[in-house]
């Protein structure tokens, strides 16, 4: 049993089209393209029975929720709540971004580079920090969601709101501060999925999926882009055996997943590719590169090999539970405290150190506008993504990595500034907008 939270940003609005600041300004209406995006969201959710739906009271979000739920076909109505209002940027409302930069250059710079430090003045002259206030607002809504729809039950809850408040909801779910506001991208009419699990654990199943809109990947910035992919399925994944550093190749389903990832990415020009030195990620990368229109150089990176499970490698979970019950329980709840038993056993911190270092070297070697494919493993990808999201080794279960899933990481020009996780665990090419791939063993 688990509760699934489906986060949807409103469709393209009139202010979005005009490049104007919206905030809580309710003159911004859902555009004609935004209406169609809302319907596309509803069609993507037709197979998902929803328990409840909530939306911001601003008209662009309300209309998105209404159209999406009409198309979804369950007859559900969304409940409007002020807790989903967008960020309060009243002094800037209606202004073009260039006008904001001219009117308030220092605060506009903070908005782009240090949003938690953005400070504005209300009409009465008092100062406030919009992002910090929004983070508190999101916390209140998140706590209410968990109380109303506990993880011990089975719910799917739709939340339709705005870019800023959805980013803050992600921060609230992961226990992160307002300073991490810019680490995510949330496109118009995108779908992100959070799983609530018993014990208070939260998992990002997917982030910023837009395949239902007819687009594979979000538009990129001017800097480097990395496509991080988990290898396709192996027989040991299917059986639930702990693989670790035993070199198990892809099975038939894994080859099909690798080919599907290649089809998904074939219109994306890849400049170079990097893979763990093991067979399953290498075979996945080869299948993806086979569908590229030009030859792409591929480099093997030992730092990206899967975690060494030591004595657990080749074992089923029930076999591990029989031999190491306390250690397995710790691995499932406090993974950062565990050193795998036996020769070659690693800690998550050791995997973190080598995988993050290897990833940093890859990014450092990319030029602006270049795109690299990186294919690795479940634990390796999780450590990299947790690092990019501002999480730590204790949080590796907070991100899901389906076999053949694709994550997108963007950097500013010259790879300066924090990375932006533009999408996480995209699996629509494997069937549906939700991740239906087996979790498999590491």
């Amino acid at each position: 049993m688990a509760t699934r939270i489906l986060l949807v940003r409103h469709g393209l609005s009139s202010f979005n089209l005009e490049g104007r600041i919206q905030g809580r300004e309710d003159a911004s209406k859902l555009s004609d393209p935004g209406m169609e995006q809302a319907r596309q969201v509803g069609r993507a959710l037709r197979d998902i029975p929803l328990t409840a739906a909530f939306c911001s009271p601003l008209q662009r979000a309300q209309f998105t929720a209404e159209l999406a739920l009409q198309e979804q076909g369950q007859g559900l109505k969304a409940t409007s709540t002020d807790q989903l209002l967008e960020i309060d940027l009243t002094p800037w409302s209606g202004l073009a971004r260039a006008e904001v930069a001219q009117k308030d250059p220092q605060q506009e710079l903070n908005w782009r580079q240090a949003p938690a430090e953005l400070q504005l003045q209300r009409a009465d002259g008092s100062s406030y920090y919009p992002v910090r206030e929004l983070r508190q607002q999101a916390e209140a809504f998140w706590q209410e969601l968990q109380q109303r729809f506990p993880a011990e039950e089975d719910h799917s809850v739709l939340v339709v709101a705005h870019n800023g408040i959805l980013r803050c909801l992600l921060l609230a779910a992961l226990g992160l501060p307002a300073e991490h506001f810019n680490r995510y991208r949330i496109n118009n009419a995108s779908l992100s999925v959070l799983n609530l699990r018993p014990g208070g654990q939260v998992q990002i199943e997917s982030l910023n999926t837009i395949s239902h809109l007819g687009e594979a990947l979000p538009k990129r910035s001017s800097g480097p882009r990395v496509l991080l992919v988990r290898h396709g399925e192996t027989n040991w994944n299917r059986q639930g055996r702990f693989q670790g550093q035993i070199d198990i190749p892809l099975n038939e389903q894994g080859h099909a997943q690798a080919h599907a990832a290649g089809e998904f990415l074939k219109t994306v020009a890849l400049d170079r590719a990097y893979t763990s030195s093991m067979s399953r990620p290498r075979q996945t990368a080869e299948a993806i590169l086979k569908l590229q229109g030009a030859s792409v150089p591929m480099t093997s990176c030992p730092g990206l090999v899967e975690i060494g499970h030591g004595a657990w490698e080749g074992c089923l979970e029930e076999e591990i539970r029989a031999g190491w019950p306390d250690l397995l329980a710790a691995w499932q709840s406090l993974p950062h405290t565990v050193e795998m038993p036996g020769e070659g056993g690693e800690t998550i911190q050791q995997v973190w150190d080598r995988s993050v270092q290897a990833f940093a070297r890859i990014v450092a070697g990319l030029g602006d506008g270049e795109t690299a494919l990186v294919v690795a493993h479940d634990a390796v990808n999780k450590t990299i993504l947790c690092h990019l999201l501002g999480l730590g080794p204790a949080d590796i279960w907070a991100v899901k990595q389906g076999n053949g899933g694709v994550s997108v990481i963007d950097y500013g020009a010259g790879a300066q500034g924090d990375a932006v996780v533009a999408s996480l665990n995209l699996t629509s090419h494997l069937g549906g907008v939700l991740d239906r791939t087996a979790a498999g063993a590491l």
Side-chain angles (χ1 to χ4, degrees), residues 157-368:
V157 180
L158 178 65
V159 176
V160 181
H162 311 268
N163 186 8
I165 183 62
L166 292 179
R167 291 196 212 181
C168 283
L169 276 176
L170 286 164
L171 296 179
L174 297 172
L176 292 172
E179 284 73 14
H180 294 307
F181 183 76
N182 275 351
R183 289 181 184 251
Y184 311 89
R185 184 166 301 154
I186 305 291
N187 282 39
N188 288 108
S190 65
L191 175 65
S192 301
V193 183
L194 301 179
N195 294 322
L196 309 185
R197 294 179 164 184
Q201 291 185 333
V202 177
Q203 179 194 61
I204 303 177
E205 178 177 312
S206 61
L207 175 68
N208 206 32
T209 297
I210 56 172
S211 57
H212 52 286
L213 306 177
E215 304 174 57
L217 307 179
K219 288 183 173 60
R220 64 181 302 158
S221 61
S222 58
R225 165 170 279 189
V226 179
L227 305 179
L228 182 63
V229 179
R230 184 187 176 194
H231 65 77
E233 185 188 79
T234 69
N235 283 335
W236 279 20
N237 284 145
R238 181 169 292 186
Q239 295 164 13
R241 293 188 185 276
F242 282 61
Q243 297 181 116
Q245 295 179 1
I246 295 180
D247 203 9
I248 307 301
L250 299 182
N251 62 15
E252 184 177 352
Q253 174 69 4
H255 282 290
Q257 290 169 335
H259 177 77
E263 287 286 348
F264 180 63
L265 298 174
K266 71 180 181 180
T267 60
V268 179
L270 299 174
D271 298 288
R272 54 192 79 186
Y274 301 85
T275 175
S276 155
S277 54
M278 303 181 75
S279 297
R280 51 194 187 268
R282 188 187 68 249
Q283 291 172 330
T284 302
E286 288 170 346
I288 294 171
L289 296 180
K290 186 177 180 180
L291 294 172
Q292 287 284 302
S295 176
V296 179
M298 185 167 70
T299 302
S300 177
C301 298
L304 296 177
V305 299
E306 182 58 299
I307 184 172
H309 277 303
W312 288 5
E313 295 193 354
C315 295
L316 297 169
E317 185 172 311
E318 54 263 33
E319 295 171 333
I320 295 171
R321 183 173 290 107
W324 299 270
D326 294 339
L327 199 61
L328 179 63
W331 172 243
Q332 293 171 336
S333 59
L334 300 166
H336 61 299
T337 67
V338 173
E339 181 176 354
M340 296 296 167
E343 184 178 356
E346 289 187 292
T347 65
I348 277 295
Q349 186 65 60
Q350 290 172 317
V351 179
W352 182 287
D353 291 343
R354 61 175 169 80
S355 61
V356 168
Q357 186 179 57
F359 191 80
R361 285 197 298 266
I362 290 168
V363 173
L366 295 176
D368 289 344

Side-chain angles (χ1 to χ4, degrees), residues 118-140:
L118 171 65
Q119 187 176 16
L120 298 178
Q121 283 193 323
R122 294 189 170 92
D124 63 6
S126 62
S127 296
Y128 70 107
Y129 291 88
V131 175
R132 297 181 195 177
E133 286 191 358
L134 193 68
R135 174 63 178 81
Q136 294 174 347
Q137 175 186 313
E139 183 69 35

Side-chain angles (χ1 to χ4, degrees), residues 414-435:
Q416 297 300 306
D418 290 332
V420 175
V421 179
S423 293
L424 189 151
N425 198 37
L426 301 178
T427 58
S428 61
H429 51 288
L430 306 173
V433 295
L434 300 185
D435 188 350

